[in-house]
Amino acid sequence: MGKNNVSKDKNLKNKKKQNKKETIDNLSLKRKAKLIGLVCLVIVAIELIVMLVMHISRENKITYTDSLNSIRSVDDSYYIAAGSSNFKHSRYNEPFIYEYQNEKDKEVQKIYAEKAKFVKYDKELNVVFESTFKSDYDSTFYDVVKVDDGYIAVGSYVYEKKQLSLNTRDGLIVKYDLDGNFVWSKNYQVLGDTEFKKVLVVEDGIVVVGQSIYENMEIGNHPMGGGIIVKYDLDGNFVWTNNHGGNKSGIFNDLVRVDDGYIACGKDAANYGMLVKFDLNGTKLWIKNYANTDTFGFSNMLLKDDKLYIASSYNTSDKKDADGNAIYEYDACIFVYDLNGELLSQMTLKGNQDDRFNSLILLDNKIIAVGYTKSSDIEIDDLNYQKDMLEAMIVAFNYEGKVLNKKVYGGKKNDNLTSIIKAIPDDANLINQTTDYIVAGYSNSRHGLFNGNGKDYYSKVLRYDERLELLIQK
């Protein structure tokens, strides 16, 4: 019995030791598992941080764009505007990404498409809807108008993949219904690179102007390129076309209807402003050039009292560099022409760098123009000069060309005002018999704590009163 008890005690001790060892081994395994798990979590966290840093770094290298090229009011009820966007910061459209293979190093890049943008705003400048044009690549709208059953927007787009490497586009017309839904689209091409800049509604259709030029490095003598004017019926069917200007440079930026036809304005050659008159069937009647504009030429044009008022700029310099090449310095300018294309006068705002007016409105007793300045010495209160940056400006002239008032809209980056119209009157306007102004453009400056990020471009819609005081910015 004693031996059995000793044996039992031994077995019990051995079992306890084994249990203890197993317990220690289990604890060791658990500690190792926890350690391995912790290491895995640390590795995953590091990978996530690296991915986040790479993403942030990649995002910081990309400048996203959202801009407006034109704005109009409709029936004193609402506004419509045209532009383009990557939709990175949009609440209404998702960004669209496509792949592009770089021809130089064959690297495949993912590109955020810059897509055409058409926006409807209510009287208070709140967005009612934001429509786009669905295509495989990039697009833009330069102008949009109201027709009886919807809207027609014009611009350009990359029609097929090979145009990406050629940097060319097709002209584009898109019809939307009254709710901003796509109805139909038409493309137009003459020489390889085409765009439509402005659209005018007439009794039996629409007339558009723009440009069709050769792609880079291509030459030729095609008779139908340069600045183009095209008429369509309201279903987008072609009616007639004509053109004027060089096949590498000519462009029409705007047009007005006169009693016996149309007058289009734009640019020909490097620095030649261009005016061309066509009859109602598109036949060319006369041509006038002004040999000293900037590279954009004549922009927005309006008609009042048988005179044409054109937003632009002109070269004030006769300097040359060491090789004898001209050194250009541009002052913002409003050109005034009669209906025969004869220059009557110029209204200017002087600076020491490049300045220009993009758009204007004509009131009974004054003209309001918007654009930008790059000058350090231009006489505008609160000028926030930044070297090589655009500072947006709004300027009032009387009809004798005297500057009545001027303001800037700017920050530490680029600000540009592209279009101005009379605002739909609010109660204060009606009571006080005053006129406010609506201005569209774009900016990558910060305007307030949460208004912009200092990198990406945001579209801007602004409301000014008669004193050019900023009332609303959206």
Side-chain angles (χ1 to χ4, degrees):
M1 289 293 292
K3 287 183 181 179
N4 288 337
N5 288 336
V6 170
S7 177
K8 284 180 182 177
D9 288 343
K10 245 186 221 184
N11 290 336
L12 188 59
K13 286 179 181 178
N14 288 336
K15 193 171 183 181
K16 285 182 177 179
K17 284 181 182 179
Q18 186 177 349
N19 289 340
K20 186 175 181 180
K21 185 175 182 300
E22 287 176 355
T23 301
I24 291 170
D25 289 343
N26 287 336
L27 290 171
S28 178
L29 285 173
K30 286 180 180 178
R31 282 196 295 268
K32 287 178 181 177
K34 286 181 180 179
L35 182 60
I36 291 169
L38 182 61
V39 169
C40 290
L41 286 173
V42 170
I43 291 171
V44 170
I46 290 171
E47 288 181 345
L48 289 173
I49 291 170
V50 170
M51 290 173 63
L52 178 61
V53 170
M54 290 175 64
H55 174 74
I56 293 171
S57 177
R58 188 167 56 249
E59 289 288 301
N60 286 336
K61 291 178 182 178
I62 301 173
T63 298
Y64 297 100
T65 297
D66 186 89
S67 63
L68 292 175
N69 297 315
S70 67
I71 191 165
R72 297 175 184 260
S73 63
V74 179
D75 301 329
D76 270 354
S77 298
Y78 58 91
Y79 304 98
I80 52 176
S84 62
S85 180
N86 299 124
F87 296 123
K88 178 65 176 176
H89 306 291
S90 173
R91 292 179 293 164
Y92 309 95
N93 286 284
E94 292 296 323
F96 176 78
I97 300 174
Y98 65 88
E99 289 188 347
Y100 171 66
Q101 187 174 40
N102 189 304
E103 290 294 324
K104 187 176 181 180
D105 53 21
K106 302 301 180 183
E107 181 186 356
V108 176
Q109 300 172 325
K110 289 188 175 181
I111 306 294
Y112 278 83
E114 185 176 341
K115 306 291 283 185
K117 171 182 171 178
F118 157 45
V119 192
K120 178 180 177 180
Y121 300 92
D122 64 19
K123 289 182 180 181
E124 286 72 42
L125 302 180
N126 300 306
V127 174
V128 178
F129 62 71
E130 179 188 78
S131 299
T132 186
F133 175 68
K134 297 188 183 303
S135 63
D136 293 331
Y137 306 105
D138 301 288
S139 58
T140 191
F141 287 143
Y142 290 106
D143 196 19
V144 60
V145 293
K146 170 76 166 53
V147 292
D148 288 341
D149 58 346
Y151 310 94
I152 293 178
V154 299
S156 67
Y157 78 122
V158 178
Y159 173 69
E160 53 187 346
K161 191 171 187 178
K162 69 178 184 180
Q163 290 180 305
L164 292 172
S165 59
L166 295 172
N167 196 27
T168 62
R169 293 188 174 204
D170 278 22
L172 176 65
I173 300 178
V174 184
K175 172 78 175 288
Y176 294 90
D177 67 18
L178 292 170
D179 295 316
N181 300 307
F182 174 86
V183 179
W184 54 253
S185 67
K186 308 281 183 178
N187 65 312
Y188 185 83
Q189 189 60 268
V190 181
L191 297 188
D193 189 15
T194 302
E195 61 182 357
F196 289 136
K197 301 288 285 186
K198 194 70 74 172
V199 55
L200 176 70
V201 180
V202 295
E203 296 86 351
D204 55 348
I206 60 171
V207 180
V208 297
V209 292
Q211 176 183 61
S212 191
I213 58 176
Y214 286 121
E215 64 195 54
N216 190 32
M217 303 304 291
E218 185 177 2
I219 58 174
N221 57 359
H222 194 289
M224 295 303 293
I228 56 173
I229 180 170
V230 189
K231 184 175 181 180
Y232 293 88
D233 67 21
L234 289 172
D235 294 317
N237 299 307
F238 174 85
V239 179
W240 54 254
T241 186
N242 209 334
N243 70 299
H244 184 75
N247 287 337
K248 297 288 287 185
S249 59
I251 186 170
F252 289 138
N253 291 316
D254 204 354
L255 78 162
V256 296
R257 170 75 183 270
V258 291
D259 290 341
D260 55 346
Y262 310 96
I263 298 176
C265 73
K267 179 187 77 77
D268 194 15
N271 299 87
Y272 278 72
M274 177 170 65
L275 279 177
V276 183
K277 183 173 181 181
F278 301 90
D279 69 16
L280 294 173
N281 296 312
T283 302
K284 200 182 305 181
L285 300 179
W286 52 252
I287 304 145
K288 302 288 183 178
N289 288 314
Y290 179 86
N292 226 9
T293 64
D294 64 4
T295 55
F296 297 101
F298 293 155
S299 297
N300 180 218
M301 176 172 62
L302 295 177
L303 174 64
K304 178 179 172 61
D305 298 331
D306 292 332
K307 294 178 183 177
L308 301 168
Y309 295 82
I310 306 171
S312 185
S313 71
Y314 81 104
N315 176 42
T316 62
S317 170
D318 56 4
K319 302 173 187 175
K320 294 183 184 279
D321 63 19
D323 297 323
N325 300 312
I327 298 174
Y328 295 103
E329 295 174 358
Y330 299 109
D331 281 350
C333 178
I334 298 171
F335 291 92
V336 185
Y337 281 84
D338 67 20
L339 294 186
N340 295 313
E342 299 301 325
L343 180 63
L344 301 176
S345 63
Q346 296 175 212
M347 306 178 187
T348 62
L349 189 65
K350 298 182 180 298
N352 60 353
Q353 293 295 323
D354 296 347
D355 314 309
R356 92 172 327 267
F357 290 134
N358 297 315
S359 180
L360 48 77
I361 54 172
L362 307 176
L363 306 174
D364 288 340
N365 59 350
K366 59 187 171 183
I367 304 166
I368 314 294
V370 295
Y372 65 80
T373 176
K374 294 175 75 173
S375 296
S376 61
D377 67 339
I378 199 164
E379 294 183 2
I380 303 181
D381 293 341
D382 300 322
L383 181 71
N384 187 9
Y385 172 74
Q386 304 288 330
K387 183 176 171 55
D388 297 326
M389 299 290 182
L390 307 183
E391 182 102 349
M393 60 181 178
I394 178 169
V395 184
F397 294 87
N398 66 18
Y399 280 90
E400 286 70 50
K402 180 182 177 182
V403 175
L404 303 176
N405 196 2
K406 48 193 183 299
K407 300 282 185 177
V408 294
Y409 177 80
K412 293 184 178 180
K413 292 293 187 70
N414 289 292
D415 303 89
N416 190 16
L417 301 180
T418 57
S419 183
I420 182 171
I421 57 173
K422 288 192 288 186
I424 297 168
D426 60 15
D427 291 341
N429 296 140
L430 296 173
I431 293 170
N432 299 318
Q433 295 185 328
T434 56
T435 302
D436 289 351
Y437 319 118
I438 301 296
V439 180
Y442 54 88
S443 170
N444 69 339
S445 296
R446 285 185 179 275
H447 293 276
L449 186 59
F450 302 107
N451 201 340
N453 60 15
K455 176 177 73 73
D456 300 331
Y457 285 89
Y458 292 78
S459 59
K460 294 294 178 182
V461 185
L462 315 172
R463 185 172 184 129
Y464 286 89
D465 66 13
E466 281 195 342
R467 299 167 298 165
L468 305 187
E469 297 295 334
L470 182 62
L471 302 175
I472 300 172
Q473 58 177 323
K474 298 276 186 150

